[in-house]
C-alpha cells in the first residue's frame, strides 16, 4: 500500500472525493428496483440525472522540496561528481595500464635495470651495450608519452572547468531573473506556475553542477548555497572565476585551449570586478569534481601540501610523480643516500676512445628526458666498465624518494616506478566502483520518484494534495449544511 492509500483508508467515511463518481453504488442508498419490490404501487422514480464531473486539471509535477528534495539533490550531485572522477581516472588508468602499446612504467624500468645487470655479469657480450641503450630509450619514451598524456588530460579538464563556470554563471543569472519575475507576479496576484517550472529546470542544472541546497524566500523566490555554505544566489547571483591552470610549469604553454585565456574568461564583463574564485568554494557536483581534479595548491602563496584525497589535485600529483621518475636517472646523489644513476655512470672513467664520458640521459624533466643522441646515433659507445656501479645504483635501497600524492616515501628507484603505476591503477578501479554505487543510488532514487518502484513518491505527494483538498471541501460542505439547517429552523418557527 502506498502512502496515499494508507491515509485514504482512514478517511473512508468521507463521500466527497474530487476524483469522479465511483462505479460501485453507495450501499446506504436504496436502489430503484428495491423500492419497487417493497411497494408495488409506488410510482417509478424518475431516472436520476447523470452527473458529469467537472474535469480535474492534471496537476503540475513539481520537484520535491524540503528534506526529501535535498536528499534527491544530494544523490544527483554525487552521481554527477562520481561520473566525472571516474571518466578522468579511467583515462589515467588506461595511460598507466596500456600506455598506447608502449611498455608500462614499472616494467620498463625493470627491463632497463636488468639490461645493466646482464652487462655487468657479461661485459664481453657484444649485444649487451645495445640492449642497455634500447631499454633506456624505451624507458625515456614511456616517461615522455605519459607526460604528454597527462598534459592532454589537463587541457581537456581545464576546458571543461571553463565551460562549466560559464554555464553556472549564466544559469545563476537566469534564476535571478526568474526570481524577480515571480516576485512581480506574486505582487500582482498573478499565477506563477509556469515561471516556477522554468526556474525549477534551471535549479536542477545548478544542483547537478554544484550540489547546491535550495532555500525558500519570501514571495516564492529562492536562494542557493553550496553544501559548504558558499552563496550562489542570495538577493543577487554570485559570478565565479578561476585563475585557470595557467602556463605549464615546464613548457610555459597553456594547459589547454581555454585555459590559455584570461582568468575572467568565464565571467561576464559586468561582473568581473565582483567575481569570486571558484577553487575551494565549489566542491560538489559535476563542476566541483572538475575543480578538485585540476586544483594545484603548489601554485598558491604560500604553497599548500597536496590533498590526500585521490580525486583531488590529480594533475599536480601526476606531474610531480613523473618528474620524480625522470629525476631517478637525471638527478645527482643526495647526502646519506646511495649514489645516483647519473653519478654512477659519469664517475667511471672511459677505458677506450669514443666512449661516452658522461650524460647517458639528457633533459631536465619528465617531458624532455631522452637517451643521449650520441648513443642512439652510434657516434659514441657505452662505457661498459660502468655497468657494475650503475647496476648497483639502480637496485640500491635506503633512498628517500618523495613526490606529491605518493602514499609514503619509497626506498628505491624500482619501488618508485612500481608505486606510481600501481597507485593510479588502484585509484582508477576505486573510482569505477564508486561511480557504480552512485549510479545505483541515482537509479533507485529515479525509480522511486518517477513511479517505476514500489512507491511513486511524486504521485503520492500529488494524491496527498488531492486528499487534502477533498477533506477541506467536505469540511466546508458540513459547515454550509449546518448553517442551512439553522436558517431552515428559524423559518419553520
Amino acid at each position: 500500500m502506498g502512502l496515499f492509500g494508507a491515509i485514504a483508508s482512514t478517511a473512508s467515511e468521507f463521500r466527497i472525493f474530487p476524483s469522479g463518481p465511483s462505479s460501485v453504488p453507495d450501499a446506504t442508498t436504496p436502489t430503484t428496483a428495491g423500492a419497487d419490490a417493497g411497494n408495488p404501487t409506488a410510482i417509478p422514480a424518475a431516472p436520476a440525472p447523470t452527473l458529469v464531473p467537472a474535469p480535474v486539471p492534471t496537476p503540475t509535477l513539481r520537484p520535491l522540496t524540503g528534506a526529501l528534495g535535498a536528499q534527491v539533490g544530494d544523490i544527483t550531485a554525487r552521481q554527477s561528481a562520481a561520473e566525472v572522477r571516474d571518466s578522468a581516472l579511467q583515462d589515467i588508468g588506461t595511460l598507466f595500464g596500456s600506455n598506447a602499446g608502449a611498455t608500462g612504467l614499472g616494467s620498463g624500468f625493470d627491463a632497463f635495470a636488468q639490461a645493466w645487470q646482464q652487462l655487468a655479469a657479461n661485459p664481453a657480450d657484444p649485444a649487451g651495450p645495445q640492449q642497455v641503450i634500447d631499454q633506456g630509450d624505451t624507458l625515456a619514451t614511456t616517461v615522455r608519452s605519459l607526460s604528454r598524456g597527462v598534459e592532454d588530460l589537463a587541457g581537456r579538464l581545464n576546458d571543461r572547468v571553463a565551460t562549466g563556470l560559464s554555464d553556472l554563471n549564466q544559469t545563476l543569472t537566469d534564476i535571478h531573473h526568474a526570481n524577480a519575475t515571480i516576485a512581480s507576479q506574486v505582487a500582482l496576484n498573478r499565477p506563477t506556475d509556469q515561471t516556477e517550472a522554468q526556474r525549477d529546470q534551471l535549479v536542477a542544472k545548478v544542483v547537478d553542477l554544484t550540489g547546491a541546497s535550495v532555500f525558500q524566500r519570501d514571495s516564492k523566490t529562492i536562494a542557493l548555497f553550496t553544501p559548504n555554505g558558499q552563496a550562489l544566489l542570495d538577493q543577487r547571483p554570485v559570478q565565479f572565476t578561476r585563475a585557470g591552470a595557467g602556463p605549464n610549469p615546464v613548457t610555459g604553454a597553456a594547459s589547454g585551449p581555454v585555459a590559455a585565456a584570461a582568468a575572467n574568461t568565464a565571467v561576464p564583463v559586468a561582473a568581473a570586478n565582483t567575481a569570486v574564485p571558484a577553487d575551494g568554494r565549489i566542491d560538489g557536483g559535476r563542476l566541483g569534481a572538475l575543480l578538485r581534479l585540476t586544483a594545484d595548491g603548489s601554485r598558491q602563496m604560500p604553497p599548500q601540501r597536496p590533498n590526500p584525497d585521490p580525486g583531488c589535485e590529480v594533475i599536480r600529483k601526476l606531474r610531480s610523480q613523473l618528474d620524480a621518475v625522470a629525476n631517478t636517472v637525471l638527478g645527482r646523489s643526495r647526502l646519506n643516500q646511495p649514489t645516483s644513476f647519473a653519478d654512477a655512470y659519469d664517475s667511471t672513467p672511459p677505458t677506450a676512445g669514443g666512449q661516452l664520458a658522461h650524460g647517458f640521459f639528457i633533459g631536465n624533466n619528465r617531458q624532455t628526458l631522452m637517451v643521449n643522441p650520441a648513443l642512439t646515433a652510434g657516434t659514441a659507445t657505452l662505457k661498459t666498465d660502468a655497468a657494475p656501479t650503475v647496476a648497483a645504483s639502480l637496485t640500491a635501497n635506503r633512498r628517500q624518494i618523495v613526490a606529491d600524492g605518493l602514499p609514503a616515501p619509497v626506498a628505491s628507484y624500482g619501488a618508485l616506478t612500481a608505486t606510481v603505476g600501481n597507485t593510479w591503477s588502484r585509484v582508477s578501479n576505486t573510482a569505477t566502483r564508486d561511480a557504480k554505487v552512485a549510479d545505483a543510488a541515482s537509479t533507485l532514487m529515479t525509480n522511486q520518484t518517477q513511479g517505476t518502484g514500489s512507491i511513486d513518491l511524486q504521485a503520492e505527494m500529488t494524491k496527498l494534495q488531492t486528499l487534502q483538498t477533498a477533506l477541506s471541501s467536505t469540511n466546508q460542505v458540513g459547515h454550509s449544511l449546518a448553517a442551512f439547517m439553522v436558517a431552515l429552523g428559524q423559518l419553520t418557527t
Side-chain angles (χ1 to χ4, degrees):
M1 176 182 294
L3 183 61
F4 169 76
I7 297 178
S9 64
T10 65
S12 58
E13 68 274 13
F14 292 105
R15 295 290 177 258
I16 298 177
F17 216 76
S19 58
S22 173
S23 58
V24 180
D26 191 341
T28 62
T29 304
T31 62
T32 303
D36 291 344
N39 185 7
T41 61
I43 300 174
T50 303
L51 298 178
V52 179
V56 179
T58 302
T60 302
L61 297 181
R62 299 290 306 283
L64 298 174
T65 58
L68 187 58
Q71 185 178 10
V72 170
D74 180 66
I75 292 174
T76 300
R78 287 177 182 271
Q79 193 272 338
S80 299
E83 178 184 337
V84 168
R85 286 193 298 269
D86 181 43
S87 175
L89 294 174
Q90 279 298 312
D91 288 344
I92 296 172
T94 300
L95 200 63
F96 280 88
S98 62
N99 195 28
T103 305
L105 184 60
S107 58
F109 183 88
D110 290 342
F112 179 61
Q114 290 172 9
W116 277 105
Q117 290 173 331
Q118 292 170 3
L119 181 62
N122 188 11
D125 182 5
Q130 189 59 49
Q131 182 72 7
V132 167
I133 295 171
D134 291 342
Q135 292 299 336
D137 187 57
T138 299
L139 176 61
T141 300
T142 299
V143 173
R144 293 198 309 272
S145 177
L146 287 170
S147 299
R148 286 194 301 270
V150 169
E151 297 308 316
D152 288 344
L153 176 62
R156 294 195 302 271
L157 291 177
N158 282 310
D159 287 350
R160 291 179 64 185
V161 168
T163 300
L165 284 174
S166 179
D167 195 15
L168 174 63
N169 288 335
Q170 184 60 56
T171 304
L172 291 176
T173 300
D174 293 341
I175 294 175
H176 176 62
H177 292 159
N179 269 346
T181 301
I182 290 171
S184 298
Q185 291 171 334
V186 169
L188 297 173
N189 199 25
R190 293 178 179 176
T192 61
D193 290 349
Q194 184 175 0
T195 308
E196 287 187 75
Q198 294 172 352
R199 186 186 63 184
D200 291 338
Q201 295 178 357
L202 297 173
V203 170
K205 181 188 291 187
V206 174
V207 171
D208 178 75
L209 284 171
T210 66
S213 300
V214 183
F215 296 89
Q216 296 292 331
R217 296 294 194 229
D218 296 336
S219 302
K220 296 188 177 181
T221 60
I222 62 168
L224 298 170
F225 290 83
T226 65
N228 61 13
Q230 168 63 46
L232 299 172
L233 172 66
D234 191 17
Q235 301 300 326
R236 62 182 182 84
V238 177
Q239 296 292 280
F240 292 93
T241 187
R242 195 191 195 200
N248 184 282
V250 175
T251 65
S255 296
V258 176
N264 292 329
T265 298
V267 182
V269 176
N273 294 330
T274 58
V276 175
D279 286 293
R281 291 175 169 83
I282 299 176
D283 56 8
R286 191 178 303 277
L287 179 58
L290 289 169
L291 287 167
R292 290 165 67 84
L293 287 167
T294 56
D296 189 347
S298 67
R299 300 185 183 184
Q300 299 180 12
M301 292 302 294
Q304 303 295 310
R305 296 177 62 86
N307 192 315
D309 186 342
C312 292
E313 298 188 294
V314 296
I315 301 301
R316 168 192 179 175
K317 294 171 183 176
L318 285 165
R319 287 169 174 165
S320 176
Q321 291 171 20
L322 289 175
D323 273 338
V325 171
N327 194 55
T328 61
V329 292
L330 291 174
R332 296 302 174 180
S333 301
R334 300 177 61 185
L335 184 65
N336 298 326
Q337 293 194 23
T339 304
S340 69
F341 167 84
D343 285 344
Y345 183 86
D346 293 352
S347 62
T348 303
T351 58
Q355 289 185 337
L356 181 69
H358 56 82
F360 181 92
F361 285 104
I362 63 172
N364 298 315
N365 50 61
R366 66 189 185 278
Q367 294 183 315
T368 57
L369 176 67
M370 63 184 299
V371 174
N372 197 309
L375 291 175
T376 56
T379 58
T381 58
L382 190 71
K383 287 190 297 184
T384 56
D385 288 349
T389 306
V390 169
S393 171
L394 291 173
T395 58
N397 289 311
R398 297 185 298 104
R399 301 187 187 277
Q400 285 289 315
I401 305 175
V402 296
D404 292 345
L406 284 182
V410 294
S412 68
Y413 293 157
L416 172 65
T417 56
T419 300
V420 170
N422 293 338
T423 295
W424 291 108
S425 296
R426 183 173 62 253
V427 168
S428 174
N429 292 335
T430 301
T432 299
R433 183 179 66 250
D434 292 345
K436 290 180 179 178
V437 172
D439 186 66
S442 179
T443 300
L444 179 62
M445 179 269 295
T446 301
N447 288 343
Q448 294 294 344
T449 57
Q450 293 185 354
T452 57
S454 58
I455 299 178
D456 182 351
L457 296 181
Q458 189 70 277
E460 295 295 335
M461 297 293 286
T462 302
K463 290 178 181 178
L464 285 173
Q465 292 175 353
T466 302
L467 178 59
Q468 183 181 15
T469 302
L471 297 178
S472 176
S473 299
T474 302
N475 190 35
Q476 292 174 3
V477 169
H479 282 296
S480 299
L481 183 59
F484 174 74
M485 295 300 294
V486 170
L488 185 61
Q490 292 174 349
L491 290 175
T492 55
T493 60

